[in-house]
Amino acid sequence: MFGIIVAAFMLAFGVFLKLTKDPRLAQNRKFAWVFIGIGAVSLIFKILNYK
């Protein structure tokens, strides 16, 4: 259950980085796709393997 929450947080943080207009976070915007990709793949596999 904890893994699902962490994966969802990573996905949400990646979307936040992609959509934010804050100039301090603009330098980290290139990592947005990394967080989105890792979070989405992790979330999919965690949900598929959840028993």
Side-chain angles (χ1 to χ4, degrees):
M1 186 67 178
F2 179 71
I4 293 173
I5 294 169
V6 171
F9 178 74
M10 286 179 60
L11 180 63
F13 185 67
V15 171
F16 169 74
L17 278 179
K18 192 71 177 162
L19 298 177
T20 189
K21 304 287 189 220
D22 189 0
R24 293 178 292 172
L25 293 174
Q27 59 193 1
N28 296 325
R29 192 168 289 169
K30 61 185 171 186
F31 294 114
W33 286 114
V34 174
F35 281 112
I36 291 170
I38 292 172
V41 170
S42 297
L43 189 60
I44 289 169
F45 284 111
K46 296 274 184 196
I47 290 173
L48 289 177
N49 291 326
Y50 186 72
K51 297 181 182 184

